[in-house]
Amino acid sequence: RPVPQVIGLLDVFTPDETLDDFTDFYLVMPFMGTDLGKLMKHEKLSEDRIQFLVYQMLKGLTHLLPGGPFADSEMTGYVVTRWYRAPEVILNWMRYTQTVDIWSAGCIMAEMITGKTLFKGSDHLDQLKEIMKVTGTPPADFVQRLQSADAKNYMKGLPELEKKDFASILTSASPLAVNLLEKMLVLDAERRVTAAEALTHPYFESLHDTEDEPKAQKYDESFDDMDRTLDEWKRVTYKEVLSFKPPLQLGTKVSKETAL
């Protein structure tokens, strides 16, 4: 069943004619006339508009898998992804949980409120420093849980920073917005609110519709954990691309809920 908050996939194809040649494939999605970044440049978003957009974002996240590892090379110009990366992604601390995208959503929500990027690091380590200026340095038990020895040593060598009150940074935000962001922008991914939990927050009280709350399907992670060679992954991907069947409702209009 299509999810209104997640962009549709109309077609998948490859111009490569054999498995040996297979290097590229294309995902065809509905055309979106604008995006949130452009919208925020053109207008100051009202509180109810922010509520609606963040609510839709979180509903979409309940249907998605945790964000995978980012490529090392930065995207340039249009999007600077580093500014929205969760701390565990920046230093590759541990396996990502479902809350990895909640961090990004929190950064976006804060930017919608203030009109400015919340954590604007100039490189990976500077990004982490910018984050910890607000969240404070994590406690020793959190550092012990880090799977990367390099990350552990780096964190142990940092000067201790006190956690800041989010209300002092987001001066124009309502108390409920601040309270939600305090739960979303938590350094420890295990203590970070999930999308489903965030949807029940009082900040969204006017939007709650229990009948329409998303009930995401349980995702079978065993597929991701399979130990395949690059050639094997290439083969199964090629097979998947060739077997893709476009949805029946190709000619139908895009749901109004996807419109900004």
Side-chain angles (χ1 to χ4, degrees), residues 7-14 25-29 236-248 250:
I7 197 162
L9 186 60
L10 303 181
D11 200 6
V12 181
F13 67 91
T14 176
F25 63 91
Y26 296 84
L27 306 177
V28 183
M29 300 172 192
V236 294
T237 305
Y238 187 64
K239 186 181 170 190
E240 195 71 25
V241 169
L242 294 184
S243 64
F244 180 83
K245 289 183 175 57
L248 293 173
L250 260 180

Side-chain angles (χ1 to χ4, degrees), residues 8-226:
L9 186 60
L10 303 181
D11 200 6
V12 181
F13 67 91
T14 176
D16 307 321
E17 293 183 3
T18 66
L19 176 59
D20 286 343
D21 296 332
F22 181 52
T23 53
D24 299 289
F25 63 91
Y26 296 84
L27 306 177
V28 183
M29 300 172 192
F31 174 71
M32 295 283 127
T34 188
D35 61 49
L36 191 55
K38 287 178 190 166
L39 189 79
M40 285 163 60
K41 280 190 179 82
H42 291 294
E43 61 176 276
K44 175 92 172 76
L45 298 175
S46 62
E47 174 100 65
D48 60 347
R49 189 98 146 121
I50 294 169
Q51 279 173 359
F52 174 78
L53 291 171
V54 177
Y55 189 73
Q56 297 302 323
M57 209 186 317
L58 291 168
K59 280 179 94 172
L61 286 181
T62 62
H63 293 271
L64 297 182
L65 316 178
F70 289 93
D72 283 339
S73 57
E74 301 288 350
M75 290 172 73
T76 53
Y78 181 52
V79 178
V80 184
T81 56
R82 186 200 310 118
W83 295 342
Y84 307 93
R85 287 182 190 173
E88 62 269 27
V89 179
I90 296 167
L91 280 193
N92 200 16
W93 285 346
M94 50 184 65
R95 185 179 170 142
Y96 311 140
T97 70
Q98 60 175 326
T99 64
V100 70
D101 295 315
I102 291 291
W103 180 276
S104 306
C107 292
I108 293 166
M109 178 179 164
E111 190 168 329
M112 288 160 96
I113 293 167
T114 65
K116 292 178 184 164
T117 309
L118 183 60
F119 303 120
K120 205 169 183 176
S122 56
D123 58 47
H124 286 73
L125 294 183
D126 187 50
Q127 183 69 25
L128 206 57
K129 283 176 189 161
E130 287 298 305
I131 289 168
M132 288 189 290
K133 278 181 195 171
V134 176
T135 64
T137 40
D141 71 302
F142 169 77
V143 176
Q144 280 307 112
R145 271 190 279 130
L146 299 180
Q147 286 167 6
S148 158
D150 288 342
K152 261 186 199 172
N153 293 332
Y154 176 75
M155 296 301 280
K156 283 175 183 170
L158 289 175
E160 201 164 315
L161 292 166
E162 285 290 307
K163 181 189 176 303
K164 277 198 184 132
D165 183 359
F166 273 63
S168 67
I169 299 153
L170 306 163
T171 49
S172 61
S174 68
L176 283 176
V178 170
N179 184 268
L180 175 59
L181 281 166
E182 291 265 14
K183 294 174 191 297
M184 292 172 81
L185 295 170
V186 174
L187 205 66
D188 185 346
E190 289 179 16
R191 288 180 46 243
R192 212 176 285 153
V193 72
T194 65
E197 289 163 353
L199 285 169
T200 66
H201 192 277
Y203 180 67
F204 302 116
E205 193 171 6
S206 61
L207 295 165
H208 284 156
D209 178 354
T210 47
E211 294 218 334
D212 192 35
E213 287 302 328
K215 290 169 182 64
Q217 302 272 307
K218 181 81 180 83
Y219 176 66
D220 178 9
E221 290 184 20
S222 61
F223 183 78
D224 290 347
D225 292 334
M226 286 180 186

